[in-house]
């Protein structure tokens, strides 16, 4: 646990290489039967090491450590953080089809439907239904939506956010379905700092569907939400969508 704490302090200082050394040292001190008798500590050390391996783009270490964790995890829920990191690494490494396949597999395990092609009649109907719900809400109501806490909801939005980026780069005809689902989750469960991305991309889908005024409104709201929620991690992505595709409506 000392190596784990030391590694976290290195992460706070953006010293990822040193953090990796501490995590590997911590793993080396685990007992041979650590997955049976030191399970929680093992899970935390391995997840921390996987996260840093992704950051450092150390594919060999990532595959070895993640494979060990996925083999010994006691439940599917205990695999979720690692699976998310593998999707993210695939996206960053531009292994887009691998990232898409893994994200869709995870979502299937969680009971989610697969993304539908833009033009699918059921997708168009669902987009119109959500658009009507948003149209009935004032700007203040959207900006004042409650934030969500359940870890499963937060995880779903994180994995959908990665899939959204992957599809924008590889299969843009599928991304409206993902942005729709993210907005549906927000309306039902509450918002996270990924809502600005979802709202901006849903606005782009509405623009393609022939509703430029609502698209412009949602684009402006997504930018306001970034500042309200301090969601700086998605600011560049949202600005690309809003300024590059939606803002011309004004």
């Amino acid at each position: 646990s000392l190596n784990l704490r030391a590694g976290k302090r290195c992460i706070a200082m953006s010293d990822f290489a040193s953090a990796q050394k501490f995590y590997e040292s911590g793993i080396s001190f685990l007992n041979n039967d650590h997955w049976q008798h030191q399970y929680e500590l093992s899970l935390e050390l391995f997840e921390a090491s996987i996260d840093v391996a992704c950051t450092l783009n150390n594919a060999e270490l990532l595959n070895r450590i993640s494979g060990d964790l996925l083999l010994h995890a006691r439940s599917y829920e205990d695999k979720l953080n690692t699976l998310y990191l593998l999707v993210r690494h695939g996206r960053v490494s531009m292994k887009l089809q691998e990232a898409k396949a893994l994200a869709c597999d995870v979502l299937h395990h969680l009971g989610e439907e697969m993304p539908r092609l833009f033009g699918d009649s059921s997708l168009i109907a669902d987009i119109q239904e959500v658009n009507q719900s948003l149209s009935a809400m004032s700007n203040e109501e959207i900006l004042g939506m409650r934030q969500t806490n359940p870890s499963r909801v937060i995880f779903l939005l994180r994995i959908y956010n990665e899939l959204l980026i992957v599809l924008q780069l590889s299969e843009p005809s599928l991304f409206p379905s993902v942005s729709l689902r993210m907005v549906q989750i927000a309306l039902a469960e509450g918002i996270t700092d990924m809502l600005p991305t979802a709202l901006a991309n849903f606005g782009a889908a509405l623009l393609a569907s022939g509703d430029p005024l609502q698209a412009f409104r949602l684009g402006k709201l997504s930018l306001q939400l970034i500042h309200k929620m301090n969601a700086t991690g998605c600011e560049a992505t949202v600005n690309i969508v809003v300024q590059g595709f939606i803002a011309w409506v004004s």
Side-chain angles (χ1 to χ4, degrees):
S1 61
L2 290 176
N3 281 289
L4 182 62
R5 280 185 283 174
K8 289 180 178 180
R9 294 189 70 175
C10 291
I11 294 294
M13 296 184 289
S14 299
D15 186 355
F16 299 102
S18 296
Q20 188 66 72
K21 291 178 182 178
F22 280 116
Y23 294 146
E24 288 188 66
S25 177
I27 290 171
S28 72
F29 281 111
L30 294 171
N31 298 332
N32 291 333
D33 58 356
H34 61 92
W35 285 113
Q36 285 73 44
H37 301 294
Q38 296 173 289
Y39 181 76
E40 295 299 333
L41 177 59
S42 298
L43 197 64
E44 197 168 358
L45 274 169
F46 273 68
E47 285 182 346
S49 184
I50 290 165
D51 196 356
V52 174
C54 287
T55 302
L56 297 175
N57 197 26
N58 188 334
E60 185 278 327
L61 180 63
L62 173 63
N63 291 333
R64 174 166 53 85
I65 298 293
S66 63
D68 201 357
L69 185 149
L70 294 174
L71 178 64
H72 292 97
R74 292 176 181 174
S75 67
Y76 193 75
E77 285 68 26
D78 286 348
K79 299 179 182 181
L80 290 179
N81 284 336
T82 295
L83 292 170
Y84 164 76
L85 290 169
L86 290 173
V87 171
R88 190 184 74 184
H89 184 258
R91 187 260 301 171
V92 172
S93 303
M94 294 302 290
K95 297 178 180 178
L96 302 179
Q97 291 306 313
E98 290 182 21
K100 176 196 169 188
L102 181 55
C104 287
D105 183 66
V106 173
L107 291 169
H108 176 73
H109 271 87
L110 296 175
E112 292 289 301
E113 295 182 0
M114 293 300 96
R116 293 165 286 174
L117 287 168
F118 192 61
D120 179 280
S121 58
S122 65
L123 174 61
I124 297 300
D126 288 343
I127 288 175
Q128 291 175 347
E129 181 181 350
V130 170
N131 187 24
Q132 289 173 0
S133 297
L134 291 171
S135 297
M137 299 173 67
S138 67
N139 291 352
E140 290 72 23
E141 286 175 316
I142 293 175
L143 293 171
M145 288 171 62
R146 63 182 174 83
Q147 289 191 252
T148 190
N149 292 315
S151 57
R152 184 182 183 279
V153 174
I154 293 172
F155 175 81
L156 267 179
L157 290 169
R158 289 173 70 199
I159 203 79
Y160 268 126
N161 190 55
E162 289 296 327
L163 181 59
L164 184 67
I165 300 170
V166 167
L167 294 177
Q168 285 172 329
L169 296 171
S170 61
E171 297 179 69
S173 61
L174 291 174
F175 91 79
S177 179
V178 175
S179 65
L180 165 69
R181 182 62 185 136
M182 293 177 74
V183 174
Q184 287 175 324
I185 293 171
L187 289 173
E189 304 288 347
I191 64 174
T192 73
D193 58 3
M194 284 157 282
L195 180 62
T197 302
L199 212 57
N201 281 281
F202 187 66
L206 291 178
L207 184 63
S209 301
D211 191 349
L213 295 181
Q214 179 74 330
F216 182 62
R217 177 193 179 219
L218 296 184
K220 286 178 63 178
L221 285 171
S222 67
L223 293 172
Q224 292 175 42
L225 278 167
I226 288 175
H227 299 294
K228 181 178 184 294
M229 304 180 70
N230 195 31
T232 54
C234 66
E235 187 168 8
T237 302
V238 171
N239 268 295
I240 289 172
V241 175
V242 175
Q243 307 299 342
F245 298 98
I246 297 176
W248 67 271
V249 175
S250 62

